[in-house]
Amino acid sequence: MALSATLHNFAIQLADVDRGVYEDLELRVARHPSETAEYMVTRILAYCLQYEEGIVFSDGGISATDEPAVQVRDMTGRTTAWIEVGAPDADRIHRGSKLAGRAVVYTHRDPAKVLAQYAGKKIHNAAQIPLFSFDRAFIDEAAALVDRRNTATLSVTEGVLYLDLNGTSLRTDVTEQPLG
């Protein structure tokens, strides 16, 4: 018998000072049984840090083979931003960059290891694709705090992310490196 996804609710006050984005978000996030809490937290952070009109979690979640974890669609339904999470393979990023014109990767893993797997691989516009990473201890602590119902305040200023999740305050630098 197949296990079903666990639904998590997040009420997030987003203040991304660096981009001038201020929103109150109500997110319903389905966590696939094979998805780690760390991956889910990174997926939510990617959504918030890339937030703009038309952003959505992919329909198939982590089991979708032809969609990224998060994407931005315009009013016609065309994908305009391909946002991957974790350590996606080079072919996915290459395809997404060509399809959407803009691709981004967020990882909860060691960024040096993630970048090493792309060395010598063909990735469309690799030099323009940023890899964002967070301190591993930050991701681990945030993952441990996640409940079925969550309240959060997420602020970003000068490349530093401040997260208050269910009453616990955390902080991390958001590190950016190009894929190519």
Side-chain angles (χ1 to χ4, degrees), residues 15-26:
D16 188 336
V17 178
D18 292 348
R19 296 188 312 128
V21 175
Y22 305 91
E23 294 289 334
D24 288 331
L25 306 173
E26 294 289 334

Side-chain angles (χ1 to χ4, degrees), residues 38-120:
E38 293 80 9
Y39 182 95
M40 182 181 70
V41 166
T42 306
R43 188 162 56 105
I44 293 165
L45 292 173
Y47 182 100
C48 291
L49 296 175
Q50 292 294 310
Y51 183 82
E52 65 179 272
E53 186 72 30
I55 196 165
V56 294
F57 290 112
S58 294
D59 294 333
I62 66 167
S63 60
T65 58
D66 58 345
E67 292 184 332
V70 180
Q71 60 189 306
V72 178
R73 294 182 182 142
D74 66 14
M75 295 181 73
T76 67
R78 186 178 75 82
T79 300
T80 60
W82 187 277
I83 305 162
E84 289 284 2
V85 173
D89 66 34
D91 290 339
R92 281 180 66 93
I93 301 169
H94 175 76
R95 187 178 70 236
S97 178
K98 288 183 81 169
L99 174 76
R102 181 171 77 90
V104 180
V105 178
Y106 282 84
T107 191
H108 57 292
R109 299 185 176 166
D110 179 350
K113 289 180 181 177
V114 174
L115 288 170
Q117 79 180 20
Y118 304 135

